[in-house]
Amino acid sequence: MNIVLLGGPGSGKGTVSNLFEKTQNMGHIATGDMFREEIKNGTELGKKAQEYMDKGNLVPDEITINMLKGKMHEFEGSNGVVFDGFPRNKKQAEALDKMLEEQNQKVDLVIFLDIPDEDIIYRTTKRRICSNKECGAIYNLEYKKPKVEGICDVCGSELIQRKDDNEETITERLRVYHEQSKELIEYYEKKKLLYRVQLHANVNITKEMISEWLENYKANR
Ligand code: AMP
C-alpha cells in the first residue's frame, strides 16, 4: 500500500510516517529530509535547495521530481511507501502517479492532516527533532517532551530545532501551503482517495489512532 500524507508544516506528517514505518514495515520518503541531507553533505543540489528552503519557498518541481526519481528504486522491496511532503502540488502528484505506474503501483490512500494555522505555528516553533537521521524521532516542548531536556528518549542523540521552524519562515511556508494544497486536495478527492483527519494543537498522534484511521477508511470505501 502506498500512502500520501498531506498537511501543512508541523501537522504531524513526520510522526505519522514514523509510525507507519514501524507498525506496517513501510518505506518512508520525505523530500524535506532528503534536501536536509543534501545540505548537510554540502552537495550542489543541497546548495540550490537551501536558497528556497531558507525563505520558506518550494524547491522548483523539476529539481524535486528528479531527486525523487533517483531514489524511488531504493524502496522497491518494501511493503509500500509513505510519501511525506511529496507531492506538494498537482504537477508533482501527476509525476508521482507516473513514477508509481512504471512500477505497476499506485497511490492507495491519501491522509490529509487538517489543522488550523494558529495551531501549526504553535506546533512548529516548539518542535524539536532527533539529530540522528536513522532515528528521526520528533518531540514538542509542550505536549511531547523528551524525558531529559535536549536528548532523544529513543537513541540518546542531541535534539535540534529545524532552521526553518521559526515564525517568519513558517508564515511563508503556510502561505505557500495554502496556495498549492487546494488543487492537490481536489485532485485526490476526485480520485476518491482522500481521508481527512481533523487535528488541533496538542494532539499527540499514536499508533492506535493510525489503526483507527485505516479501519475507518476501509469500512467507508
Ligand atoms: P518539509 O520537511 O516537508 O517541511 O520541507 C521543508 C522544505 O523543503 C520546504 O519548505 C521546501 O522548501 C522543501 N521541500 C520539501 N518537499 C518539497 C517538495 N515536494 N517540493 C518542493 N519543495 C519541497
Side-chain angles (χ1 to χ4, degrees):
M1 176 153 83
N2 294 305
I3 299 178
V4 165
L5 298 178
L6 297 186
S11 56
K13 300 190 294 296
T15 302
V16 172
S17 305
N18 290 344
L19 289 168
F20 270 117
E21 242 183 312
K22 283 187 199 121
T23 63
Q24 316 278 325
N25 197 24
M26 295 176 77
H28 175 200
I29 290 187
T31 39
D33 287 349
M34 286 178 181
F35 285 132
R36 281 185 285 277
E37 190 62 18
E38 297 284 341
I39 291 170
K40 204 168 112 197
N41 294 335
T43 66
E44 278 309 308
L45 171 62
K47 280 179 202 150
K48 224 180 265 173
Q50 185 155 36
E51 288 171 32
Y52 297 92
M53 290 169 77
D54 283 352
K55 293 188 196 121
N57 295 327
L58 290 187
V59 179
D61 288 337
E62 208 188 308
I63 298 178
T64 309
I65 292 167
N66 279 336
M67 174 179 73
L68 191 59
K69 272 186 190 158
K71 307 255 179 186
M72 285 289 277
H73 68 276
E74 291 175 19
F75 299 88
E76 266 168 25
S78 63
N79 181 29
V81 171
V82 187
F83 292 89
D84 158 10
F86 186 94
R88 288 285 227 278
N89 55 35
K90 196 173 160 204
K91 188 169 171 202
Q92 294 185 5
E94 287 167 348
L96 178 63
D97 284 346
K98 220 167 138 207
M99 278 186 252
L100 288 172
E101 215 178 286
E102 281 163 13
Q103 299 182 356
N104 286 323
Q105 293 199 43
K106 59 181 172 43
V107 172
D108 299 288
L109 165 64
V110 178
I111 299 177
F112 171 30
L113 304 172
D114 192 8
I115 177 164
D117 284 5
E118 55 275 22
D119 292 354
I120 279 183
I121 294 186
Y122 169 83
R123 281 166 78 106
T124 40
T125 49
K126 299 204 180 314
R127 171 163 63 185
R128 297 294 181 272
I129 58 171
C130 178
S131 56
N132 170 10
K133 194 183 142 266
E134 300 302 316
C135 172
I138 303 168
Y139 297 85
N140 185 286
L141 298 184
E142 290 294 328
Y143 61 87
K144 200 186 169 202
K145 288 184 192 166
K147 291 192 186 101
V148 180
E149 198 185 319
I151 302 292
C152 178
D153 293 350
V154 183
C155 74
S157 302
E158 187 196 355
L159 297 183
I160 51 172
Q161 182 171 28
R162 271 173 53 171
K163 200 177 168 199
D164 58 352
D165 275 350
N166 63 75
E167 199 160 339
E168 194 189 336
T169 314
I170 292 161
T171 307
E172 179 59 11
R173 282 160 66 201
L174 262 178
R175 190 193 64 73
V176 172
Y177 164 68
H178 285 300
E179 193 180 272
Q180 311 256 348
S181 64
K182 196 168 168 271
E183 61 170 18
L184 200 51
I185 290 164
E186 281 169 8
Y187 181 81
Y188 287 124
E189 251 171 356
K190 267 192 202 144
K191 289 176 177 274
K192 301 205 182 322
L193 290 173
L194 199 82
Y195 183 77
R196 187 186 294 251
V197 183
Q198 303 276 4
L199 294 171
H200 58 84
N202 288 321
V203 176
N204 185 13
I205 300 167
T206 60
K207 62 175 193 282
E208 287 75 22
M209 286 164 79
I210 286 184
S211 306
E212 198 185 308
W213 301 345
L214 286 178
E215 273 164 33
N216 279 344
Y217 176 72
K218 283 180 200 151
N220 292 309
R221 290 211 78 183

